[in-house]
Each structure stands twice: as C-alpha cells, then as structure tokens.
Amino acid sequence: METTSIDLLESNFQSKIDRDIKIEPKDWMPDDYRQTLIRQISQHAHSEVVGMLPEGNWITRAPNLRRKAVLLAKVQDEAGHGLYLYSATETLGADREELIDDLHEGRAKYSSIFNYPTLSWADMGAIGWLVDGAAIMNQVPLCRCSYGPYARAMVRVCKEESFHQRQGYEIMMSLANGSPEQKAMAQDALNRFWWPALMMFGPNDATSKHTAQSMKWKIKRNTNDELRQQFVDVTVPQAELIGLTIPDENLIWDEKTNHYITSPINWDEFWQVVNGNGPCNKERIEARKKAKENGKWVRDAAMAHAIKRNAINLLTA
Amino acid sequence: MSEQEWPLWEVFIRSKQGLNHKHVGSLRAPDAQLAVDNARDVYTRRSEGISIWVVASNNVFASDASEADAFYDPSNSKVYRHPTFYDVPDGISHM
C-alpha cells in the first residue's frame, strides 16, 4: 500500500516534468530530487561567494577609477548571486547556516576555478571573459530548469552576468592592443586560465555520475561535454580576433562536425583541485571563515537592536 | 552555534508607478527596516524598482499545494464566466 502511493506520486511528478510543468517549493517531490537540488544550488551559491575572493584581490590595485568601479560592481553582483541561490536552497527546506558550515568545514564543493591565484591585472580580464563566459554557458540552460525558484534565480543571474563577460573581454582587448609587455600579460593570463575554464564544465559525460538522472529531471538540460564544446567553439574566434593564442598546440577545426577539437583535458589536475589540493583551496576557505567570524559582532548587534526595538514598540503600542 | 539566525523575509517590488508589487525572492535580515535596505541592495541594483514591501515569511499563509485540484475545481467548471462561452453571429464587432 505504502509503496504504491509513493510510486503514484513519483509517476505524477515525472509526468509533470515531462510536460515541462515547473515544480514549486510546496509541491510533492522525490527526496532525491530535493537533495540533488540542494547539493547543486548550494555548490553554485558557494562558487559565487568564493568567486569574490580572486577578484577582490585586485580591487585596490585596479589601473584606474573606471576599472575599479566596474570591478566593485561585479564583485557586488557575485555576492547578490550567492544570496539568490542560498534563498533558493531555503525554499527546499535547507538551513543556510548549515550549508555555509559545510563549506567552511570542507564538506561542500564549489567551482574548482576559484582555487587558482590571480597573479596579474590581466587575470581580471581572463576571469571575466573565460570564467564568466563558461558560467553563462552553464547558467543559460538552467533558466529552464524544472525547479521554479532555481530557474527564476538563474534568469536574474544571467541578466547580470552579461556585463561581467564583456568587461573581462574589454580588459583583454585593451592589453592585447597595448605594449608588448601588456600583450604578454594578457597571453599569460589566457595560458593559465584556459584549461581550468574548460574544466569548469565538470567531468566528461562518460564519468559524470549525476548527469543522467539530472537530465531526466530536467535539472540539467545539456551534458557537460555539450556545454564545453559550445564554449570552445565560441571562445576560440574571440581569442583570434584580439591576437591571442589558445594554449593548445593540437587545437584544430573539424570541418566535418563544424566544431573545434582540443587536446585531452588533464583530469588528474581537476580532481586534485576539487579534492582540496589546488593552489589556493586552503586560503579561500580561511578567508571565508575569517569573514564570517569578523562579521559576527555586526550580526549580533543588529539582532540585539532589533529585539530591543521590538520590545519598545510593544510597550508603546 | 550560539548565534541567533536572522529571520527570513519575502520581498515584493513595484517596478514602476501603475504596476502592482510582485514577489521577487527572499532574504534574511534582523528587522523590517534592514530587510528593506538589504532588498534595495540585492534586488534593485539595476533600477528594477521604485517601491519595496517586505513580509516576514512566517506570516505568509498559503493555500495547500496538494489540495490545489480540489480547491480550484469550482472555478474550472464554470466556463460561462469567460466571454468565449457565448455564441455571437459573424459580422458583429465591438463586442
């Protein structure tokens, strides 16, 4: 009896998904669907928040006021994106503080790209162009994700991200058109960020353990390899246009498929970084923990003030 | 964790005069005023609004999603509430 009713609920649920009817917070959903979403959305939220750190590194050293104002606005957007996403996890019954604790205790993952250091100003260009570019490739299909609050958050995020990519490309273009030293700086940033950017799409389809189920639930709309290919195809001509070279000697255009073919990706490096051994994993988590600890007195004071004011309002009401 | 978590607020934004406030998302803040201030920073960074409402999430009482079919059924059966229910001869305009 028990199993039959669950089976019925599950088949109704899948039929809604198949008919492209969005799932909303209070609708019945299988526990695995809920857990998959909490995992994916919280990793996404953590990535937005940790993603502020490599760029925050250059705010005080931006080359002029225009670049500085732009970078500040971009980093502020990332904080907002983290917030939309944590809010979306809360609609699934997740506890935001617990998710943040998971990040700080090393139990949660976030995008491996943010564990690479930002060594020069050109890295701000490479990140905006490649990292935000890859993020947009990933996020645009998520605007049609089956879970309503996640899809709506993604619509907002995608609208805001489009300036992020353009400002990055503009930085790269200025450097590429500048002095030989500036052009070398841009090329060096591309050399360091190209492969990590391709890894952002996650493991190859053959080894990606969540893809099949996530596609069936329409949480994901494209596989990792499909999105990675799209990214390569649009990005290679963008590099050529500003006179930069993709750091892959074997990169060729395949006329039969109308796609670029790259060298194989170094997945050992990817797993090393994902599992905590990238160049900046420790530093990133330490910075997050410190930010939370240092802000505690502000949060406590704001709460104490609110409680006190409520009490006064009750007395005078 | 000894820290007391800030309450959750639902945020509604009027994008321009003449339109109603529309739900845009939620956030945490210690009180209503700070919820409005935070909502401005989070949800109106690109001129998305001219007025913000915040409502403590635990004050929202919602209809039951699992009862939706039965709850809205009475209106589904009354097709005569829609203009398309009625036959109008060809050539009639302004109706």
PDB file of all heavy atoms in Angstrom, chain A residues 26-27 77 84 87 90 96-97 101 160 163 299-300 302-303 306-307 309, chain B residues 1 3-6 8 24 26-28 30-31 42-43 45-46 62 65:
ATOM      1  N   LYS A  26       6.254  23.969  -2.546  1.00  0.00           N
ATOM      2  CA  LYS A  26       5.361  23.162  -1.723  1.00  0.00           C
ATOM      3  C   LYS A  26       4.821  21.940  -2.437  1.00  0.00           C
ATOM      4  O   LYS A  26       4.063  21.162  -1.857  1.00  0.00           O
ATOM      5  CB  LYS A  26       4.207  24.036  -1.215  1.00  0.00           C
ATOM      6  CG  LYS A  26       4.708  25.079  -0.237  1.00  0.00           C
ATOM      7  CD  LYS A  26       3.598  25.666   0.587  1.00  0.00           C
ATOM      8  CE  LYS A  26       4.202  26.473   1.728  1.00  0.00           C
ATOM      9  NZ  LYS A  26       3.185  27.240   2.440  1.00  0.00           N
ATOM     10  N   ASP A  27       5.176  21.752  -3.713  1.00  0.00           N
ATOM     11  CA  ASP A  27       4.728  20.568  -4.442  1.00  0.00           C
ATOM     12  C   ASP A  27       5.458  19.324  -3.916  1.00  0.00           C
ATOM     13  O   ASP A  27       6.600  19.420  -3.473  1.00  0.00           O
ATOM     14  CB  ASP A  27       5.030  20.709  -5.948  1.00  0.00           C
ATOM     15  CG  ASP A  27       4.284  21.871  -6.574  1.00  0.00           C
ATOM     16  OD1 ASP A  27       3.306  22.339  -5.950  1.00  0.00           O
ATOM     17  OD2 ASP A  27       4.679  22.308  -7.675  1.00  0.00           O
ATOM     18  N   ASP A  77      27.795  42.095  -7.474  1.00  0.00           N
ATOM     19  CA  ASP A  77      26.844  41.199  -8.142  1.00  0.00           C
ATOM     20  C   ASP A  77      27.030  39.748  -7.685  1.00  0.00           C
ATOM     21  O   ASP A  77      26.059  39.030  -7.447  1.00  0.00           O
ATOM     22  CB  ASP A  77      27.035  41.243  -9.670  1.00  0.00           C
ATOM     23  CG  ASP A  77      26.307  42.411 -10.328  1.00  0.00           C
ATOM     24  OD1 ASP A  77      25.511  43.089  -9.650  1.00  0.00           O
ATOM     25  OD2 ASP A  77      26.537  42.636 -11.541  1.00  0.00           O
ATOM     26  N   TYR A  84      20.782  35.032  -3.888  1.00  0.00           N
ATOM     27  CA  TYR A  84      19.605  34.459  -4.572  1.00  0.00           C
ATOM     28  C   TYR A  84      19.626  32.934  -4.437  1.00  0.00           C
ATOM     29  O   TYR A  84      18.600  32.290  -4.278  1.00  0.00           O
ATOM     30  CB  TYR A  84      19.591  34.735  -6.094  1.00  0.00           C
ATOM     31  CG  TYR A  84      19.772  36.158  -6.556  1.00  0.00           C
ATOM     32  CD1 TYR A  84      20.387  36.423  -7.785  1.00  0.00           C
ATOM     33  CD2 TYR A  84      19.306  37.234  -5.823  1.00  0.00           C
ATOM     34  CE1 TYR A  84      20.555  37.712  -8.254  1.00  0.00           C
ATOM     35  CE2 TYR A  84      19.477  38.533  -6.282  1.00  0.00           C
ATOM     36  CZ  TYR A  84      20.105  38.757  -7.494  1.00  0.00           C
ATOM     37  OH  TYR A  84      20.277  40.031  -7.959  1.00  0.00           O
ATOM     38  N   SER A  87      18.937  31.573  -0.975  1.00  0.00           N
ATOM     39  CA  SER A  87      17.488  31.693  -0.752  1.00  0.00           C
ATOM     40  C   SER A  87      16.755  30.554  -1.445  1.00  0.00           C
ATOM     41  O   SER A  87      15.791  30.010  -0.905  1.00  0.00           O
ATOM     42  CB  SER A  87      16.956  33.022  -1.291  1.00  0.00           C
ATOM     43  OG  SER A  87      17.479  34.088  -0.549  1.00  0.00           O
ATOM     44  N   GLU A  90      16.828  27.527   0.563  1.00  0.00           N
ATOM     45  CA  GLU A  90      15.939  27.591   1.729  1.00  0.00           C
ATOM     46  C   GLU A  90      14.505  27.216   1.369  1.00  0.00           C
ATOM     47  O   GLU A  90      13.768  26.708   2.199  1.00  0.00           O
ATOM     48  CB  GLU A  90      15.993  28.985   2.369  1.00  0.00           C
ATOM     49  CG  GLU A  90      17.320  29.209   3.085  1.00  0.00           C
ATOM     50  CD  GLU A  90      17.339  30.479   3.915  1.00  0.00           C
ATOM     51  OE1 GLU A  90      17.286  31.581   3.321  1.00  0.00           O
ATOM     52  OE2 GLU A  90      17.394  30.382   5.147  1.00  0.00           O
ATOM     53  N   ARG A  96      20.442  27.524   5.723  1.00  0.00           N
ATOM     54  CA  ARG A  96      21.540  28.241   5.088  1.00  0.00           C
ATOM     55  C   ARG A  96      22.817  28.202   5.923  1.00  0.00           C
ATOM     56  O   ARG A  96      23.913  28.012   5.393  1.00  0.00           O
ATOM     57  CB  ARG A  96      21.126  29.690   4.824  1.00  0.00           C
ATOM     58  CG  ARG A  96      22.207  30.465   4.108  1.00  0.00           C
ATOM     59  CD  ARG A  96      21.692  31.726   3.506  1.00  0.00           C
ATOM     60  NE  ARG A  96      21.194  32.646   4.504  1.00  0.00           N
ATOM     61  CZ  ARG A  96      21.077  33.967   4.286  1.00  0.00           C
ATOM     62  NH1 ARG A  96      21.410  34.463   3.131  1.00  0.00           N
ATOM     63  NH2 ARG A  96      20.616  34.762   5.221  1.00  0.00           N
ATOM     64  N   GLU A  97      22.660  28.371   7.243  1.00  0.00           N
ATOM     65  CA  GLU A  97      23.846  28.373   8.101  1.00  0.00           C
ATOM     66  C   GLU A  97      24.553  27.012   8.060  1.00  0.00           C
ATOM     67  O   GLU A  97      25.778  26.946   8.080  1.00  0.00           O
ATOM     68  CB  GLU A  97      23.469  28.738   9.537  1.00  0.00           C
ATOM     69  CG  GLU A  97      23.031  30.189   9.704  1.00  0.00           C
ATOM     70  CD  GLU A  97      24.099  31.190   9.257  1.00  0.00           C
ATOM     71  OE1 GLU A  97      25.280  31.013   9.605  1.00  0.00           O
ATOM     72  OE2 GLU A  97      23.747  32.156   8.551  1.00  0.00           O
ATOM     73  N   ASP A 101      28.316  26.271   6.971  1.00  0.00           N
ATOM     74  CA  ASP A 101      29.226  25.478   7.815  1.00  0.00           C
ATOM     75  C   ASP A 101      29.845  24.338   7.004  1.00  0.00           C
ATOM     76  O   ASP A 101      31.030  24.043   7.153  1.00  0.00           O
ATOM     77  CB  ASP A 101      28.474  24.902   9.024  1.00  0.00           C
ATOM     78  CG  ASP A 101      28.154  25.977  10.061  1.00  0.00           C
ATOM     79  OD1 ASP A 101      28.744  27.077   9.975  1.00  0.00           O
ATOM     80  OD2 ASP A 101      27.311  25.719  10.943  1.00  0.00           O
ATOM     81  N   GLU A 160      22.487  39.686 -15.236  1.00  0.00           N
ATOM     82  CA  GLU A 160      23.557  40.481 -14.641  1.00  0.00           C
ATOM     83  C   GLU A 160      24.936  40.058 -15.131  1.00  0.00           C
ATOM     84  O   GLU A 160      25.842  40.878 -15.229  1.00  0.00           O
ATOM     85  CB  GLU A 160      23.469  40.388 -13.110  1.00  0.00           C
ATOM     86  CG  GLU A 160      22.138  40.915 -12.614  1.00  0.00           C
ATOM     87  CD  GLU A 160      21.991  40.936 -11.104  1.00  0.00           C
ATOM     88  OE1 GLU A 160      22.883  40.437 -10.399  1.00  0.00           O
ATOM     89  OE2 GLU A 160      20.974  41.455 -10.639  1.00  0.00           O
ATOM     90  N   PHE A 163      27.213  41.628 -18.433  1.00  0.00           N
ATOM     91  CA  PHE A 163      28.214  42.697 -18.388  1.00  0.00           C
ATOM     92  C   PHE A 163      29.558  42.170 -17.880  1.00  0.00           C
ATOM     93  O   PHE A 163      30.613  42.646 -18.275  1.00  0.00           O
ATOM     94  CB  PHE A 163      27.696  43.919 -17.602  1.00  0.00           C
ATOM     95  CG  PHE A 163      28.350  44.199 -16.266  1.00  0.00           C
ATOM     96  CD1 PHE A 163      29.649  44.671 -16.183  1.00  0.00           C
ATOM     97  CD2 PHE A 163      27.646  44.024 -15.094  1.00  0.00           C
ATOM     98  CE1 PHE A 163      30.236  44.950 -14.953  1.00  0.00           C
ATOM     99  CE2 PHE A 163      28.222  44.295 -13.861  1.00  0.00           C
ATOM    100  CZ  PHE A 163      29.520  44.760 -13.797  1.00  0.00           C
ATOM    101  N   ARG A 299      26.474  41.164  13.098  1.00  0.00           N
ATOM    102  CA  ARG A 299      25.203  40.422  13.032  1.00  0.00           C
ATOM    103  C   ARG A 299      24.547  40.356  14.407  1.00  0.00           C
ATOM    104  O   ARG A 299      23.338  40.550  14.544  1.00  0.00           O
ATOM    105  CB  ARG A 299      25.453  39.008  12.492  1.00  0.00           C
ATOM    106  CG  ARG A 299      25.918  38.971  11.043  1.00  0.00           C
ATOM    107  CD  ARG A 299      25.885  37.560  10.452  1.00  0.00           C
ATOM    108  NE  ARG A 299      26.709  36.603  11.200  1.00  0.00           N
ATOM    109  CZ  ARG A 299      28.025  36.473  11.028  1.00  0.00           C
ATOM    110  NH1 ARG A 299      28.673  37.224  10.142  1.00  0.00           N
ATOM    111  NH2 ARG A 299      28.709  35.587  11.725  1.00  0.00           N
ATOM    112  N   ASP A 300      25.360  40.111  15.456  1.00  0.00           N
ATOM    113  CA  ASP A 300      24.810  40.042  16.809  1.00  0.00           C
ATOM    114  C   ASP A 300      24.225  41.382  17.225  1.00  0.00           C
ATOM    115  O   ASP A 300      23.147  41.452  17.818  1.00  0.00           O
ATOM    116  CB  ASP A 300      25.903  39.632  17.802  1.00  0.00           C
ATOM    117  CG  ASP A 300      26.285  38.162  17.645  1.00  0.00           C
ATOM    118  OD1 ASP A 300      25.550  37.444  16.926  1.00  0.00           O
ATOM    119  OD2 ASP A 300      27.300  37.742  18.227  1.00  0.00           O
ATOM    120  N   ALA A 302      23.092  43.811  15.323  1.00  0.00           N
ATOM    121  CA  ALA A 302      21.875  44.111  14.561  1.00  0.00           C
ATOM    122  C   ALA A 302      20.687  43.341  15.137  1.00  0.00           C
ATOM    123  O   ALA A 302      19.583  43.870  15.270  1.00  0.00           O
ATOM    124  CB  ALA A 302      22.070  43.759  13.085  1.00  0.00           C
ATOM    125  N   MET A 303      20.936  42.095  15.514  1.00  0.00           N
ATOM    126  CA  MET A 303      19.858  41.265  16.092  1.00  0.00           C
ATOM    127  C   MET A 303      19.442  41.823  17.451  1.00  0.00           C
ATOM    128  O   MET A 303      18.240  41.943  17.745  1.00  0.00           O
ATOM    129  CB  MET A 303      20.368  39.818  16.221  1.00  0.00           C
ATOM    130  CG  MET A 303      19.280  38.784  16.364  1.00  0.00           C
ATOM    131  SD  MET A 303      18.244  38.634  14.898  1.00  0.00           S
ATOM    132  CE  MET A 303      16.632  38.738  15.626  1.00  0.00           C
ATOM    133  N   ALA A 306      17.369  44.849  16.994  1.00  0.00           N
ATOM    134  CA  ALA A 306      16.017  44.540  16.514  1.00  0.00           C
ATOM    135  C   ALA A 306      15.140  44.039  17.666  1.00  0.00           C
ATOM    136  O   ALA A 306      13.976  44.442  17.796  1.00  0.00           O
ATOM    137  CB  ALA A 306      16.094  43.486  15.409  1.00  0.00           C
ATOM    138  N   ILE A 307      15.713  43.210  18.512  1.00  0.00           N
ATOM    139  CA  ILE A 307      14.936  42.655  19.636  1.00  0.00           C
ATOM    140  C   ILE A 307      14.534  43.777  20.594  1.00  0.00           C
ATOM    141  O   ILE A 307      13.384  43.874  21.028  1.00  0.00           O
ATOM    142  CB  ILE A 307      15.750  41.558  20.370  1.00  0.00           C
ATOM    143  CG1 ILE A 307      15.862  40.319  19.468  1.00  0.00           C
ATOM    144  CG2 ILE A 307      15.122  41.193  21.701  1.00  0.00           C
ATOM    145  CD1 ILE A 307      16.868  39.290  19.941  1.00  0.00           C
ATOM    146  N   ARG A 309      14.258  46.991  19.938  1.00  0.00           N
ATOM    147  CA  ARG A 309      13.284  47.908  19.326  1.00  0.00           C
ATOM    148  C   ARG A 309      11.882  47.286  19.282  1.00  0.00           C
ATOM    149  O   ARG A 309      10.903  47.962  19.518  1.00  0.00           O
ATOM    150  CB  ARG A 309      13.740  48.298  17.915  1.00  0.00           C
ATOM    151  CG  ARG A 309      13.040  49.561  17.442  1.00  0.00           C
ATOM    152  CD  ARG A 309      13.837  50.311  16.422  1.00  0.00           C
ATOM    153  NE  ARG A 309      14.044  49.485  15.245  1.00  0.00           N
ATOM    154  CZ  ARG A 309      14.673  49.907  14.134  1.00  0.00           C
ATOM    155  NH1 ARG A 309      15.152  51.136  14.094  1.00  0.00           N
ATOM    156  NH2 ARG A 309      14.832  49.111  13.114  1.00  0.00           N
TER     157      ARG A 309
ATOM    158  N   MET B   1      25.812  26.132  17.453  1.00  0.00           N
ATOM    159  CA  MET B   1      26.001  27.556  17.142  1.00  0.00           C
ATOM    160  C   MET B   1      25.134  28.416  18.061  1.00  0.00           C
ATOM    161  O   MET B   1      23.923  28.236  18.122  1.00  0.00           O
ATOM    162  CB  MET B   1      25.619  27.805  15.681  1.00  0.00           C
ATOM    163  CG  MET B   1      26.409  28.939  15.107  1.00  0.00           C
ATOM    164  SD  MET B   1      26.099  29.180  13.358  1.00  0.00           S
ATOM    165  CE  MET B   1      25.265  27.688  12.855  1.00  0.00           C
ATOM    166  N   GLU B   3      24.793  31.621  17.883  1.00  0.00           N
ATOM    167  CA  GLU B   3      24.276  32.781  17.186  1.00  0.00           C
ATOM    168  C   GLU B   3      22.797  32.617  16.828  1.00  0.00           C
ATOM    169  O   GLU B   3      22.383  31.554  16.369  1.00  0.00           O
ATOM    170  CB  GLU B   3      25.069  32.934  15.896  1.00  0.00           C
ATOM    171  CG  GLU B   3      25.127  34.348  15.379  1.00  0.00           C
ATOM    172  CD  GLU B   3      26.109  34.433  14.211  1.00  0.00           C
ATOM    173  OE1 GLU B   3      27.196  33.844  14.304  1.00  0.00           O
ATOM    174  OE2 GLU B   3      25.762  35.086  13.234  1.00  0.00           O
ATOM    175  N   GLN B   4      22.013  33.662  17.027  1.00  0.00           N
ATOM    176  CA  GLN B   4      20.605  33.592  16.647  1.00  0.00           C
ATOM    177  C   GLN B   4      20.462  33.982  15.175  1.00  0.00           C
ATOM    178  O   GLN B   4      20.937  35.031  14.759  1.00  0.00           O
ATOM    179  CB  GLN B   4      19.790  34.547  17.525  1.00  0.00           C
ATOM    180  CG  GLN B   4      18.306  34.296  17.388  1.00  0.00           C
ATOM    181  CD  GLN B   4      17.495  35.260  18.232  1.00  0.00           C
ATOM    182  OE1 GLN B   4      18.034  36.019  19.020  1.00  0.00           O
ATOM    183  NE2 GLN B   4      16.185  35.237  18.044  1.00  0.00           N
ATOM    184  N   GLU B   5      19.803  33.101  14.390  1.00  0.00           N
ATOM    185  CA  GLU B   5      19.716  33.353  12.958  1.00  0.00           C
ATOM    186  C   GLU B   5      18.715  34.466  12.662  1.00  0.00           C
ATOM    187  O   GLU B   5      17.652  34.529  13.273  1.00  0.00           O
ATOM    188  CB  GLU B   5      19.317  32.062  12.238  1.00  0.00           C
ATOM    189  CG  GLU B   5      19.743  32.055  10.807  1.00  0.00           C
ATOM    190  CD  GLU B   5      19.590  30.682  10.160  1.00  0.00           C
ATOM    191  OE1 GLU B   5      19.460  29.678  10.884  1.00  0.00           O
ATOM    192  OE2 GLU B   5      19.601  30.627   8.933  1.00  0.00           O
ATOM    193  N   TRP B   6      19.057  35.338  11.731  1.00  0.00           N
ATOM    194  CA  TRP B   6      18.146  36.409  11.330  1.00  0.00           C
ATOM    195  C   TRP B   6      16.896  35.812  10.680  1.00  0.00           C
ATOM    196  O   TRP B   6      17.010  34.840   9.931  1.00  0.00           O
ATOM    197  CB  TRP B   6      18.821  37.331  10.314  1.00  0.00           C
ATOM    198  CG  TRP B   6      19.890  38.203  10.879  1.00  0.00           C
ATOM    199  CD1 TRP B   6      20.252  38.335  12.189  1.00  0.00           C
ATOM    200  CD2 TRP B   6      20.748  39.081  10.127  1.00  0.00           C
ATOM    201  NE1 TRP B   6      21.286  39.232  12.304  1.00  0.00           N
ATOM    202  CE2 TRP B   6      21.609  39.705  11.053  1.00  0.00           C
ATOM    203  CE3 TRP B   6      20.871  39.396   8.782  1.00  0.00           C
ATOM    204  CZ2 TRP B   6      22.572  40.636  10.670  1.00  0.00           C
ATOM    205  CZ3 TRP B   6      21.834  40.315   8.401  1.00  0.00           C
ATOM    206  CH2 TRP B   6      22.669  40.930   9.335  1.00  0.00           C
ATOM    207  N   LEU B   8      13.645  35.254   8.140  1.00  0.00           N
ATOM    208  CA  LEU B   8      13.513  35.273   6.679  1.00  0.00           C
ATOM    209  C   LEU B   8      12.379  36.216   6.276  1.00  0.00           C
ATOM    210  O   LEU B   8      11.328  36.242   6.923  1.00  0.00           O
ATOM    211  CB  LEU B   8      13.208  33.846   6.206  1.00  0.00           C
ATOM    212  CG  LEU B   8      13.292  33.538   4.717  1.00  0.00           C
ATOM    213  CD1 LEU B   8      14.702  33.723   4.183  1.00  0.00           C
ATOM    214  CD2 LEU B   8      12.839  32.088   4.460  1.00  0.00           C
ATOM    215  N   VAL B  24       9.718  38.820  -5.622  1.00  0.00           N
ATOM    216  CA  VAL B  24      10.961  38.618  -6.361  1.00  0.00           C
ATOM    217  C   VAL B  24      11.909  37.630  -5.688  1.00  0.00           C
ATOM    218  O   VAL B  24      12.842  37.141  -6.316  1.00  0.00           O
ATOM    219  CB  VAL B  24      11.733  39.937  -6.597  1.00  0.00           C
ATOM    220  CG1 VAL B  24      10.957  40.853  -7.526  1.00  0.00           C
ATOM    221  CG2 VAL B  24      12.053  40.633  -5.279  1.00  0.00           C
ATOM    222  N   SER B  26      13.566  36.192  -1.550  1.00  0.00           N
ATOM    223  CA  SER B  26      13.577  36.350  -0.103  1.00  0.00           C
ATOM    224  C   SER B  26      14.985  36.681   0.367  1.00  0.00           C
ATOM    225  O   SER B  26      15.946  36.579  -0.401  1.00  0.00           O
ATOM    226  CB  SER B  26      13.081  35.066   0.556  1.00  0.00           C
ATOM    227  OG  SER B  26      13.881  33.982   0.156  1.00  0.00           O
ATOM    228  N   LEU B  27      15.092  37.108   1.607  1.00  0.00           N
ATOM    229  CA  LEU B  27      16.405  37.334   2.206  1.00  0.00           C
ATOM    230  C   LEU B  27      16.269  37.301   3.713  1.00  0.00           C
ATOM    231  O   LEU B  27      15.162  37.302   4.245  1.00  0.00           O
ATOM    232  CB  LEU B  27      16.998  38.663   1.738  1.00  0.00           C
ATOM    233  CG  LEU B  27      16.178  39.947   1.828  1.00  0.00           C
ATOM    234  CD1 LEU B  27      16.069  40.472   3.250  1.00  0.00           C
ATOM    235  CD2 LEU B  27      16.840  41.029   0.974  1.00  0.00           C
ATOM    236  N   ARG B  28      17.409  37.281   4.393  1.00  0.00           N
ATOM    237  CA  ARG B  28      17.396  37.316   5.854  1.00  0.00           C
ATOM    238  C   ARG B  28      17.859  38.683   6.331  1.00  0.00           C
ATOM    239  O   ARG B  28      18.753  39.283   5.747  1.00  0.00           O
ATOM    240  CB  ARG B  28      18.293  36.218   6.423  1.00  0.00           C
ATOM    241  CG  ARG B  28      17.682  34.840   6.213  1.00  0.00           C
ATOM    242  CD  ARG B  28      18.378  33.740   6.959  1.00  0.00           C
ATOM    243  NE  ARG B  28      17.654  32.496   6.761  1.00  0.00           N
ATOM    244  CZ  ARG B  28      16.689  32.059   7.578  1.00  0.00           C
ATOM    245  NH1 ARG B  28      16.369  32.764   8.656  1.00  0.00           N
ATOM    246  NH2 ARG B  28      16.059  30.936   7.309  1.00  0.00           N
ATOM    247  N   PRO B  30      17.712  41.254  10.275  1.00  0.00           N
ATOM    248  CA  PRO B  30      17.296  41.258  11.675  1.00  0.00           C
ATOM    249  C   PRO B  30      15.931  41.924  11.887  1.00  0.00           C
ATOM    250  O   PRO B  30      15.196  41.526  12.773  1.00  0.00           O
ATOM    251  CB  PRO B  30      18.411  42.033  12.388  1.00  0.00           C
ATOM    252  CG  PRO B  30      19.115  42.784  11.316  1.00  0.00           C
ATOM    253  CD  PRO B  30      18.973  41.982  10.065  1.00  0.00           C
ATOM    254  N   ASP B  31      15.604  42.958  11.100  1.00  0.00           N
ATOM    255  CA  ASP B  31      14.302  43.597  11.271  1.00  0.00           C
ATOM    256  C   ASP B  31      13.794  44.101   9.920  1.00  0.00           C
ATOM    257  O   ASP B  31      14.497  44.036   8.908  1.00  0.00           O
ATOM    258  CB  ASP B  31      14.364  44.741  12.306  1.00  0.00           C
ATOM    259  CG  ASP B  31      15.325  45.846  11.893  1.00  0.00           C
ATOM    260  OD1 ASP B  31      15.440  46.120  10.678  1.00  0.00           O
ATOM    261  OD2 ASP B  31      15.967  46.445  12.773  1.00  0.00           O
ATOM    262  N   VAL B  42      20.048  44.128  -2.927  1.00  0.00           N
ATOM    263  CA  VAL B  42      20.079  42.829  -3.588  1.00  0.00           C
ATOM    264  C   VAL B  42      19.207  42.799  -4.845  1.00  0.00           C
ATOM    265  O   VAL B  42      19.604  42.246  -5.860  1.00  0.00           O
ATOM    266  CB  VAL B  42      19.638  41.719  -2.605  1.00  0.00           C
ATOM    267  CG1 VAL B  42      19.527  40.388  -3.333  1.00  0.00           C
ATOM    268  CG2 VAL B  42      20.628  41.586  -1.465  1.00  0.00           C
ATOM    269  N   TYR B  43      18.019  43.401  -4.752  1.00  0.00           N
ATOM    270  CA  TYR B  43      17.050  43.208  -5.842  1.00  0.00           C
ATOM    271  C   TYR B  43      16.825  44.428  -6.738  1.00  0.00           C
ATOM    272  O   TYR B  43      16.064  44.348  -7.694  1.00  0.00           O
ATOM    273  CB  TYR B  43      15.711  42.732  -5.264  1.00  0.00           C
ATOM    274  CG  TYR B  43      15.776  41.325  -4.706  1.00  0.00           C
ATOM    275  CD1 TYR B  43      15.762  41.100  -3.327  1.00  0.00           C
ATOM    276  CD2 TYR B  43      15.884  40.229  -5.549  1.00  0.00           C
ATOM    277  CE1 TYR B  43      15.837  39.809  -2.810  1.00  0.00           C
ATOM    278  CE2 TYR B  43      15.959  38.937  -5.047  1.00  0.00           C
ATOM    279  CZ  TYR B  43      15.938  38.740  -3.676  1.00  0.00           C
ATOM    280  OH  TYR B  43      16.013  37.466  -3.182  1.00  0.00           O
ATOM    281  N   ARG B  45      19.534  46.660  -7.941  1.00  0.00           N
ATOM    282  CA  ARG B  45      20.806  47.291  -8.327  1.00  0.00           C
ATOM    283  C   ARG B  45      20.766  47.877  -9.730  1.00  0.00           C
ATOM    284  O   ARG B  45      21.632  48.645 -10.118  1.00  0.00           O
ATOM    285  CB  ARG B  45      21.962  46.290  -8.236  1.00  0.00           C
ATOM    286  CG  ARG B  45      22.395  45.974  -6.833  1.00  0.00           C
ATOM    287  CD  ARG B  45      23.786  45.357  -6.793  1.00  0.00           C
ATOM    288  NE  ARG B  45      23.889  44.159  -7.596  1.00  0.00           N
ATOM    289  CZ  ARG B  45      23.401  42.977  -7.237  1.00  0.00           C
ATOM    290  NH1 ARG B  45      22.778  42.841  -6.094  1.00  0.00           N
ATOM    291  NH2 ARG B  45      23.525  41.925  -8.017  1.00  0.00           N
ATOM    292  N   ARG B  46      19.767  47.460 -10.537  1.00  0.00           N
ATOM    293  CA  ARG B  46      19.687  47.967 -11.914  1.00  0.00           C
ATOM    294  C   ARG B  46      18.326  48.585 -12.181  1.00  0.00           C
ATOM    295  O   ARG B  46      17.664  48.256 -13.158  1.00  0.00           O
ATOM    296  CB  ARG B  46      19.991  46.836 -12.898  1.00  0.00           C
ATOM    297  CG  ARG B  46      21.461  46.440 -12.879  1.00  0.00           C
ATOM    298  CD  ARG B  46      21.739  45.234 -13.738  1.00  0.00           C
ATOM    299  NE  ARG B  46      23.165  44.938 -13.811  1.00  0.00           N
ATOM    300  CZ  ARG B  46      23.849  44.305 -12.879  1.00  0.00           C
ATOM    301  NH1 ARG B  46      23.254  43.915 -11.778  1.00  0.00           N
ATOM    302  NH2 ARG B  46      25.140  44.068 -13.042  1.00  0.00           N
ATOM    303  N   ALA B  62      -0.431  30.240   3.109  1.00  0.00           N
ATOM    304  CA  ALA B  62      -0.640  29.901   1.699  1.00  0.00           C
ATOM    305  C   ALA B  62      -1.664  28.792   1.535  1.00  0.00           C
ATOM    306  O   ALA B  62      -1.888  27.995   2.463  1.00  0.00           O
ATOM    307  CB  ALA B  62       0.690  29.465   1.088  1.00  0.00           C
ATOM    308  N   ALA B  65      -0.758  23.241  -1.596  1.00  0.00           N
ATOM    309  CA  ALA B  65      -0.424  22.803  -2.959  1.00  0.00           C
ATOM    310  C   ALA B  65      -1.011  21.423  -3.269  1.00  0.00           C
ATOM    311  O   ALA B  65      -1.456  21.168  -4.387  1.00  0.00           O
ATOM    312  CB  ALA B  65       1.094  22.780  -3.145  1.00  0.00           C
TER     313      ALA B  65
END
